[in-house]
Amino acid sequence: QKEVEQDPGPLSVPEGAIVSLNCTYSNSAFQYFMWYRQYSRKGPELLMYTYSSGNKEDGRFTAQVDKSSKYISLFIRDSQPSDSATYLCAMSGRAAGNKLTFGGGTRVLVKP
Amino acid sequence: GAVVSQHPSWVICKSGTSVKIECRSLDFQATTMFWYRQFPKQSLMLMATSNEGSKATYEQGVEKDKFLINHASLTLSTLTVTSAHPEDSSFYICSPTSQNEQFFGPGTRLTVL
């Protein structure tokens, strides 16, 4: 069993819809949680960074962490075609500076 | 945001040759450098971790004699794939870390014929 599970998709939504992404993990030592966006043949770009259970909002993005269930989510409101990318969850046992364990990534396609 | 460059962005080489990939942090000093590998439609897999001036620590299953990492300065790290084979074809991404912030390079696509 992988430490971090993420549905590979693809997830296809119409423009303006809410995109819902999630990851589950098995290692209770993970305390820091990140979401990255990766366009084809590019490096990952950090979207959200959280370290406590609950919600964190940044513009159209909302990250949720439920440590009791070992479940994290990312919601993208008012999705745009430019949001079409692969979204990777990542987590670590300490703050940045420690190695990250990535989920497999979910490919998202927002159709105009 | 921090600027990270990788060179080359894309390289094709013959089997048996060696390829060097450079990673530079252009506007910050990276105390720690992570090197990841990503196969098509798969996630990033950590290969090794290096601190400036120290030997790299390799993840299980990664051959240290095949993937040579040099982190000679706080702004430059190199990954050399020695005697490359077609199964080494992948997307290699560096990730320099500074002051508890981790950044990613744009990646280098290696194709070994």
Side-chain angles (χ1 to χ4, degrees):
Chain A
Q1 183 187 6
K2 295 180 182 178
E3 278 191 291
V4 181
E5 297 279 359
Q6 186 176 4
D7 189 325
L11 179 61
S12 182
V13 300
E15 183 176 356
I18 295 175
V19 176
S20 176
L21 304 164
N22 56 74
C23 289
T24 58
Y25 61 97
S26 58
N27 189 344
S28 59
F30 290 140
Q31 298 295 319
Y32 295 86
F33 306 92
M34 281 70 62
W35 284 96
Y36 289 86
R37 177 174 62 195
Q38 186 178 25
Y39 292 112
S40 181
R41 301 187 179 187
K42 300 290 184 183
E45 170 193 359
L46 181 65
L47 291 175
M48 299 287 284
Y49 172 79
T50 58
Y51 55 87
S52 58
S53 285
N55 293 358
K56 181 178 180 180
E57 192 173 314
D58 184 0
R60 295 185 297 115
F61 299 94
T62 299
Q64 283 185 351
V65 174
D66 182 346
K67 290 186 179 180
S68 63
S69 300
K70 296 188 179 66
Y71 186 92
I72 67 172
S73 300
L74 177 72
F75 300 98
I76 307 173
R77 291 183 298 280
D78 188 24
S79 58
Q80 304 295 312
S82 58
D83 293 326
S84 298
T86 296
Y87 291 81
L88 300 156
C89 64
M91 41 200 83
S92 70
R94 300 200 320 247
N98 198 25
K99 64 181 183 179
L100 299 177
T101 300
F102 282 87
T106 299
R107 184 165 162 251
V108 172
L109 178 61
V110 180
K111 295 183 176 180
Chain B
V3 181
V4 180
S5 71
Q6 277 186 243
H7 178 80
S9 58
W10 187 28
V11 57
I12 301 174
C13 69
K14 292 182 179 180
S15 184
T17 61
S18 295
V19 175
K20 178 184 283 188
I21 301 170
E22 289 187 352
C23 176
R24 293 180 185 274
S25 52
L26 300 182
D27 55 357
F28 68 98
Q29 295 184 323
T31 52
T32 301
M33 182 71 73
F34 300 98
W35 283 95
Y36 292 87
R37 178 168 56 183
Q38 186 177 31
F39 292 106
K41 297 187 178 180
Q42 294 187 28
S43 191
L44 283 73
M45 297 298 294
L46 181 66
M47 298 176 67
T49 305
S50 73
N51 295 299
E52 185 260 341
S54 302
K55 287 185 178 180
T57 301
Y58 290 80
E59 295 298 302
Q60 190 174 10
V62 179
E63 300 176 58
K64 63 178 182 179
D65 294 329
K66 181 172 181 63
F67 299 98
L68 303 179
I69 291 172
N70 185 297
H71 193 171
S73 77
L74 291 172
T75 59
L76 172 64
S77 177
T78 60
L79 167 66
T80 301
V81 184
T82 62
S83 186
H85 291 283
E87 58 265 29
D88 299 322
S89 298
S90 187
F91 193 53
Y92 292 86
I93 305 172
C94 66
S95 178
T97 300
S98 172
Q99 295 180 342
N100 288 334
E101 282 198 80
Q102 193 167 2
F103 307 96
F104 286 87
T108 296
R109 181 164 300 280
L110 170 64
T111 300
V112 184
L113 302 177

